């Protein structure tokens, strides 16, 4: 009897919590995990675990912090599983589109940078900067002391700045592609470019287009030389060459250099 009543109350409460805090939990998971599929999974298990706790008679005093603490645990579990599989970063168009702000990194660039910093630092900075939570609250959510959190946030900000500073913009990346085509890119730059290309379909398309264009440009070498030009070459070095118009001579020099 009592169990059934608690069960009904729990069902009502979890519905209510989901309506009020669902998007908060989801946004947090998305910012920390970097992709929608994982964020959905974490949101689901968060509310499932919350529901079980409510059924057992738990009454959270601050529902929002309580849910984020549950989400943080679910995220920690994800990271543990993730270590076993290759990292996958999906930059959703819907997020990238909201990044129309003038200067500074785009949302997509921030998410990529975040995905490269350690998970605990990522959680701390997301809770602080995106969610605007207090030190006390974040410390509780992540189960660390306030002074440990201070250090964590400092490291997170430094890592993030470092990542953003070393992150290639698409313009940089495409310039690097151009340099690489001529073998003018160092080992370190090649590595940065490879990292960028793994995460940027636009620049990858640029690379593929470049390959096609290069083939087409090489094809130019096979274009037949006009008869007049061949005849002119025949006069080269003889006295009559000096009597030819300047325009013709200029063409000969340019063509001669190209052929050499
Ligand atoms: Zn790019």
């Amino acid at each position: 009897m009592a169990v059934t009543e608690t069960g009904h109350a729990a069902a009502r409460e979890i519905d209510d919590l989901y309506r009020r805090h669902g998007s908060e939990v989801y946004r947090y998971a998305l910012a920390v995990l970097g992709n929608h599929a994982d964020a959905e999974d974490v949101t689901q298990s968060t509310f499932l675990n919350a529901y079980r706790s409510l059924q057992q008679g738990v009454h959270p005093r601050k529902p929002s912090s309580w849910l984020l603490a549950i989400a943080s645990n679910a995220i920690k579990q994800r990271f543990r599983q993730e270590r076993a599989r290759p990292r996958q970063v999906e930059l959703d168009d819907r997020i990238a589109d909201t990044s129309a702000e003038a200067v500074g990194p785009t949302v997509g660039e921030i998410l990529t940078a975040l995905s490269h910093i350690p998970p605990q630092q990522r959680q701390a900075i997301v809770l602080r900067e995106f969610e605007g939570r207090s030190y006390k609250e974040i410390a509780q959510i992540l189960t660390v002391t306030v002074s440990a959190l201070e250090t964590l946030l400092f490291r997170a900000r430094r890592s993030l700045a470092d990542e953003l500073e070393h992150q290639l913009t698409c313009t940089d990346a495409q310039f690097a592609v151009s340099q690489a085509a001529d073998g003018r890119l160092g080992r370190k730059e090649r590595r940065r470019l490879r990292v960028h290309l793994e995460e940027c379909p636009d620049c990858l398309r640029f690379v593929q287009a470049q390959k096609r264009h290069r083939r087409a440009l090489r094809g130019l070498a096979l274009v037949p030389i006009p008869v007049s030009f061949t005849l002119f070459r025949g006069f080269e070095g003889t006295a009559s060459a000096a009597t030819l118009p300047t325009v013709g001579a200029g063409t000969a020099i340019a063509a001669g250099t190209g052929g050499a």
Side-chain angles (χ1 to χ4, degrees), residues 18-240:
Y18 187 79
R19 228 175 302 116
R20 281 189 293 155
H21 303 290
S23 59
E24 212 172 301
V25 169
Y26 185 81
R27 271 202 316 272
Y28 170 58
L30 180 62
V32 174
L33 294 165
N35 73 80
H36 285 280
D38 286 349
E40 272 167 34
D41 271 5
V42 160
T43 307
Q44 259 179 20
S45 48
T46 298
F47 281 93
L48 196 68
N49 291 339
Y51 179 58
R52 283 191 197 123
S53 295
L54 293 173
Q55 279 180 317
Q56 282 157 20
V58 172
H59 293 291
R61 267 189 306 143
K62 285 183 101 185
S64 154
S65 300
W66 180 65
L67 287 168
L68 287 181
I70 298 173
S72 287
N73 277 328
I75 286 168
K76 255 180 238 162
Q77 241 167 19
R78 280 259 136 186
F79 285 136
R80 250 175 258 136
Q81 292 163 358
E82 209 181 50
R83 240 173 273 151
R85 62 180 172 148
R87 178 159 57 206
Q88 197 182 13
V89 178
E90 166 212 313
L91 292 179
D92 193 274
D93 291 340
R94 277 173 296 176
I95 314 165
D97 277 351
T98 59
S99 62
E101 297 280 305
V103 274
T106 63
V107 175
E109 281 162 356
I110 284 279
L111 282 178
T112 304
L114 276 175
S115 75
H116 292 162
I117 75 172
Q120 215 190 10
Q121 292 181 16
R122 210 185 304 175
Q123 285 176 295
I125 202 162
V126 166
L127 286 167
R128 183 67 193 152
E129 304 290 359
F130 292 7
E131 300 283 334
R133 310 225 156 225
S134 71
Y135 268 54
K136 204 179 142 207
E137 223 181 332
I138 301 170
Q140 274 169 4
I141 291 169
L142 297 180
T143 54
V144 294
T145 63
V146 169
S147 74
L149 175 64
E150 238 170 11
T151 310
L152 199 59
L153 278 170
F154 164 64
R155 290 201 180 124
R157 289 191 175 115
R158 204 174 46 181
S159 312
L160 196 63
D162 210 44
E163 274 299 325
L164 285 169
E165 201 181 305
H166 290 97
Q167 202 176 62
L168 285 186
T169 64
C170 289
T171 310
D172 291 340
Q174 292 177 16
F175 183 62
V177 168
S178 173
Q179 288 179 307
D182 296 326
R184 299 178 61 83
L185 203 61
R187 183 194 296 262
K188 212 173 140 197
E189 283 78 20
R190 277 207 304 272
R191 206 184 64 81
R192 279 170 71 196
L193 177 60
R194 214 179 309 125
V195 169
H196 183 92
L197 291 176
E198 273 166 21
E199 294 169 357
C200 182
D202 283 350
C203 286
L204 197 62
R205 268 196 295 277
F206 179 77
V207 170
Q208 282 149 1
Q210 281 306 302
K211 279 184 189 154
R212 287 195 301 274
H213 297 167
R214 286 200 116 198
R215 270 199 301 276
L217 283 166
R218 288 207 188 100
L220 284 181
L222 305 174
V223 172
I225 295 163
V227 175
S228 61
F229 177 72
T230 319
L231 287 175
F232 177 74
R233 289 280 291 202
F235 291 124
E236 206 172 42
T238 71
S240 53

